[in-house]
Structure formats: structure tokens, C-alpha cells
Amino acid sequence: MDPYKYLKIRFNPDGSLYRYGEAPLLPAAPAGEPVAVAAEGREDGEQGPRRIVVHSNDVPLSEAAGTGLRLFVPSGGHARLPLVLYFHGGGYVLFRAASEPFHNTCTALAAAAPAVVASVDYRLAPEHRLPAAFEDAADAVLWARPHAAAGRPVFVMGSHNGASIAFRAALAAADAGVELRGVILNQPHLGGAARTPAEAASVDDRVLPLPANDLLWELALPVGADRDHEYCNPEPMLARVGAARLRRLPPCLVLGRRKDPPRDRTRTLANALQKAGVAVEARLDGAGYHAMELFKPNCAAEFTAQVADFVRRHSAAGAGDVVGASKL
């Protein structure tokens, strides 16, 4: 297969990437979007779904880097809402915070938790190779610092390569003294030069076939680096971070799927966190393939419920009052 055609990308003459098959970019919705919340996500104890309006707004993060945040704030007078810093997927190369699948994910999570979700529009490779996205994550942590200092429960969360960014954001928060209540890592996108059994079996994977996966890493890693670089392979990364630094992380929810090509490395990461003494909830046997929560409504509902439950359980009472999107 031609991985460029599969990913629907090609190089422009100036070396930038033309992405011609991406999901639509949705505008922010300051007036709000209605979202149905299942009975188990209702705070009032009533049975049956109800509709919550979620307002979204775009705000700058770093003028120098050209990054921003899309904020999702549920209406309804909820007080003391937690704040979730969210990093979308796309192999470091594709998608934006405004991309339809991730906009919808954040809208659903904001309504279900309920929580304020700040989706980080980080820089993409190859125009901005790693560690650019990790640097943007550190900026987002510093943006969240006043909210944590005011007592608001703050979480970092990411899906796919966004989970790897969220992990780096959690380390940055620990180093900067920003208190986090939890970390949510959904199917971290990890790799290595030697194939794991799951990777070797993924040549024709329906979502993340091996040639496309290899190309994403080639475009994302620093020029000249191979897949054993610490930005890709969890083993050298974990060795450099060390158990003492890992131990400073808050409770972690690690999600995986049975047919996700990076699943063996996700297990390596979860085991290292547990060995270091981090409270880990590892649910690595989800049904289906990579990123199924973006394609299947039943997987999306299960995923949203798992994350919302984790956020609610780790958000202590007495956190700071919710503020509007314009003030976040």
C-alpha cells in the first residue's frame, strides 16, 4: 500500500504537508450545542436522558507558537466543574482541535462529566516535528496553573498520540508544581524499531496499518531519529524519566483496545506506572480496533462513560466555581 495515499497527504513544494482527506473543521459554537446525557451521567438522580447545552469558544494559548485552545463549557448552572486539558489524536500529523471527531468527543465529555474541556490545538508535524507538541503541552499546563491553584480539579487527557502528549503534560505539571487530580491515556500511540507481536500483525490493520504507522513516525520524529527515540519508544523514555519522577503522577486511567497495534507498548507503559507506585486503572481489553470510539456510537458512549466516571470520582468536592468560557 501507499501510506501517503492511505493517509491522504502529500508534500507541497515548500516542504509543508497538504492534508486533503481530513475530517471537516467545525466552527466553535458560542451559542451552544445540545447534547443528550445518559441517565448514569445525571447529577440529579433522575432516570432517562436529558439534554445539556455545551458552549464552545476559541482562545489563544501561545502567540509565538501560533497555538490555541477550544474551550467547551456545559450550561445548566453546574458549580465547581473540573477542568480537563485534552489532546486530540492524529499521529502528530493530522487533525486539529476543531476537527469534527474530536470536537464531538469534547462536547460529549463536557456534558457527561460534567466538566470544562480545554482542547489544545497544538502544532503538527512535519512542519513542527517533536518535541514541538510536547512544548505546546507544557504551555497548556502553565495556562491551567491558576485554575489548579484556585482549587479547581485539573486533569490531563489525550487520545492516541494525544495520550502520549498528555503523559508529557502530566510530567510537566509535576515538574512545575501544578496539582493534577488525574491523567487519562486513551490508546497511547507508541512504537519502536523492533516490532512487537501486535505491530507485526498489523500490516493490513483496518485503521492503523503498519506502513501508515511507520510513515507517521517518520514525519513526526526529529530528522535522523529512528523509532527507538524516547519520543516514540516507551522503554528509553521510561528509563530516562525514572521511577521517582513517575511516582509523582496522580491516578491514571489507561485505556486500550484488543486490536490496537500499539497495545503491547501500552501495557508496558501501564506496568511501569504501576511498578513506580502510581494508582493505575488499566482497562486494556476494549473491543475493536484503534480509535473505534470515533467511528462507532456504542464505543463512543462507553468511552465517554468511562472517562466521565473517572473524572467524577477524582474531583473532590470544594473545587473552584465554574467560570464562563470567556474567562477561562
Side-chain angles (χ1 to χ4, degrees):
M1 65 168 291
D2 183 338
Y4 284 92
K5 288 184 178 179
Y6 179 83
L7 295 172
K8 298 182 179 178
I9 57 176
R10 64 173 179 263
F11 278 104
N12 293 314
D14 64 358
S16 64
L17 208 61
Y18 177 48
R19 302 161 175 87
Y20 60 89
E22 288 196 313
L25 298 178
L26 299 184
E33 302 170 72
V35 181
V37 177
E40 60 267 23
R42 296 189 62 161
E43 291 187 316
D44 56 13
E46 297 293 328
Q47 297 300 309
R50 71 169 177 176
R51 300 185 78 79
I52 292 178
V53 174
V54 175
H55 306 269
S56 54
N57 189 33
D58 293 329
V59 299
L61 177 59
S62 168
E63 183 178 350
T67 54
L69 301 165
R70 176 160 290 188
L71 305 176
F72 299 82
V73 181
S75 62
H78 302 294
R80 304 181 178 92
L81 289 183
L83 170 64
V84 180
L85 282 180
Y86 177 81
F87 300 91
H88 65 78
Y92 300 103
V93 172
L94 303 172
F95 302 119
R96 304 287 301 276
S99 296
E100 184 175 29
F102 299 107
H103 174 99
N104 292 342
T105 293
C106 292
T107 302
L109 178 59
V116 175
V117 179
S119 183
V120 182
D121 199 32
Y122 57 86
R123 290 171 290 173
L124 298 179
E127 295 88 347
H128 303 281
R129 291 175 177 266
L130 294 175
F134 302 150
E135 294 166 353
D136 298 340
D139 287 342
V141 166
L142 295 180
W143 174 88
R145 185 207 295 269
H147 303 289
R152 179 187 297 275
V154 176
F155 296 79
V156 295
M157 171 185 175
S159 289
H160 322 134
N161 76 285
S164 298
I165 300 174
F167 180 78
R168 299 278 179 163
L171 293 173
D175 293 342
V178 178
E179 181 187 359
L180 298 178
R181 302 295 180 88
V183 179
I184 300 129
L185 306 177
N186 176 38
Q187 304 163 73
H189 188 204
L190 303 164
R195 309 294 192 193
T196 66
E199 290 165 349
S202 70
V203 173
D204 297 318
D205 185 84
R206 64 176 62 184
V207 178
L208 191 61
L210 193 59
N213 196 5
D214 286 349
L215 177 58
L216 289 172
W217 283 118
E218 180 184 331
L219 296 173
L221 289 169
V223 174
D226 65 18
R227 291 192 306 276
D228 280 335
H229 193 283
E230 65 171 278
Y231 295 160
C232 177
N233 191 326
E235 294 185 8
M237 181 271 291
L238 290 166
R240 187 189 64 79
V241 171
R245 195 171 171 213
L246 289 178
R247 199 172 297 121
R248 298 163 61 193
L249 295 180
C252 294
L253 173 63
V254 185
L255 301 175
R257 296 197 178 276
R258 289 193 293 269
K259 296 183 179 180
D260 187 24
R263 62 187 179 272
D264 297 330
R265 301 189 195 274
T266 298
R267 196 172 300 277
T268 296
L269 176 60
N271 289 342
L273 289 169
Q274 289 176 322
K275 186 177 180 180
V278 178
V280 176
E281 298 179 33
R283 305 178 186 179
L284 306 180
D285 60 349
Y289 294 81
H290 182 76
M292 287 296 285
E293 71 279 1
L294 301 181
F295 312 121
K296 298 288 187 180
N298 61 319
C299 293
E302 179 187 46
F303 168 69
T304 300
Q306 288 175 326
V307 174
D309 173 69
F310 180 84
V311 169
R312 285 194 295 268
R313 285 189 287 109
H314 292 279
S315 296
D321 290 343
V322 64
V323 296
S326 63
K327 296 182 180 179
L328 267 171

